[in-house]
Amino acid sequence: MSVIRVIAAILFPPLAVIDRGCGSLLIVALLTLCGWVPGVIGALVILNKR
């Protein structure tokens, strides 16, 4: 997990997981629509996976 991805996950969560696949992008986008904090947490969890 690079520093740039963490910053992107904090500022705009769907942008950080755009290369992880359509499912991850959709999940993070829906979480971000529910609230900014769930979107950030979801993006960081997805980015932390290998």
Side-chain angles (χ1 to χ4, degrees):
M1 195 164 47
S2 70
V3 175
I4 295 172
R5 290 221 183 238
V6 172
I7 292 170
I10 292 170
L11 295 177
F12 190 65
L15 182 64
V17 296
I18 200 159
D19 66 338
R20 300 290 178 151
C22 184
S24 297
L25 180 65
L26 184 64
I27 290 170
V28 173
L30 289 174
L31 285 172
T32 303
L33 287 175
C34 291
W36 178 73
V37 174
V40 170
I41 292 171
L44 290 175
V45 166
I46 290 172
L47 288 176
N48 200 22
K49 287 184 174 181
R50 292 218 170 209

